[in-house]
Amino acid sequence: FLVQFGQEFDKLTSLPKVVNVELASNQISVYTDTLFCANPDNGEIYEIGKFRIEIFTDGRKGRDSIHWFNLTRQVSDYHAPHVDDEGRACLGNMSEVIPELIANYEYSVVAMLAIQFIESYNPDSPYCKIGNWPLAKRSK
């Protein structure tokens, strides 16, 4: 197990946009660089922020198995367009997949999906609208 976990830790720390990983007894905290998200309706890109993604390894199910915390800003008490004030999200189809991946020690896959989740936007979501986040600054 330790060899497998060591390899998984190496995968986690080498993921694009991951700047740090911390381990605790029942949780892995993944720290990201600034994450951005495009609005599919108009193509505008918004700066969502830097995150601490908490992956719980103690057998929690569904949306309790992973939390997102925006370290840059909250907008109307939301950490991201689909993440509420407690760091939880409606995971839809992923609510069964995430705990299964965690149970199989596939933490790097969970982190990659968690980052992709923040970088995707569904305009039909009842959560906070992406237009409430600042537009990304364009490079000249």
Side-chain angles (χ1 to χ4, degrees), residues 36-134:
F36 298 87
C37 184
N39 183 343
D41 286 343
N42 60 19
E44 291 284 0
I45 297 175
Y46 294 84
E47 180 184 306
I48 308 302
K50 296 180 181 187
F51 279 80
R52 182 181 76 242
I53 301 166
E54 296 178 353
I55 301 168
F56 295 97
T57 60
D58 57 1
R60 298 179 193 196
K61 298 296 179 201
R63 64 188 238 144
D64 290 327
S65 61
I66 186 168
H67 293 163
W68 291 261
F69 295 100
N70 193 323
L71 303 175
T72 306
R73 70 179 61 80
Q74 282 184 260
V75 173
S76 302
D77 292 331
Y78 284 85
H79 288 280
H82 304 298
V83 180
D84 69 18
D85 62 333
E86 295 179 350
R88 296 178 181 183
C90 177
L91 298 174
N93 297 341
M94 289 191 343
S95 66
E96 293 178 20
V97 173
I98 297 283
E100 185 176 313
L101 290 168
I102 292 169
N104 291 325
Y105 308 110
E106 296 184 59
Y107 307 124
S108 60
V109 176
V110 173
M112 191 172 57
L113 289 172
I115 290 168
Q116 289 174 355
F117 183 81
I118 296 299
E119 294 181 324
S120 327
Y121 179 66
N122 175 1
D124 298 328
S125 169
Y127 284 88
C128 195
K129 298 299 179 193
I130 195 167
N132 294 337
W133 267 264

Side-chain angles (χ1 to χ4, degrees), residues 11-41:
K11 288 182 195 174
L12 263 172
T13 57
S14 65
L15 284 174
K17 303 174 187 166
V18 170
V19 297
N20 193 27
V21 176
E22 293 178 354
L23 305 174
S25 61
N26 68 343
Q27 158 185 334
I28 299 169
S29 295
V30 177
Y31 293 84
T32 72
D33 201 351
T34 302
L35 302 180
F36 298 87
C37 184
N39 183 343
D41 286 343

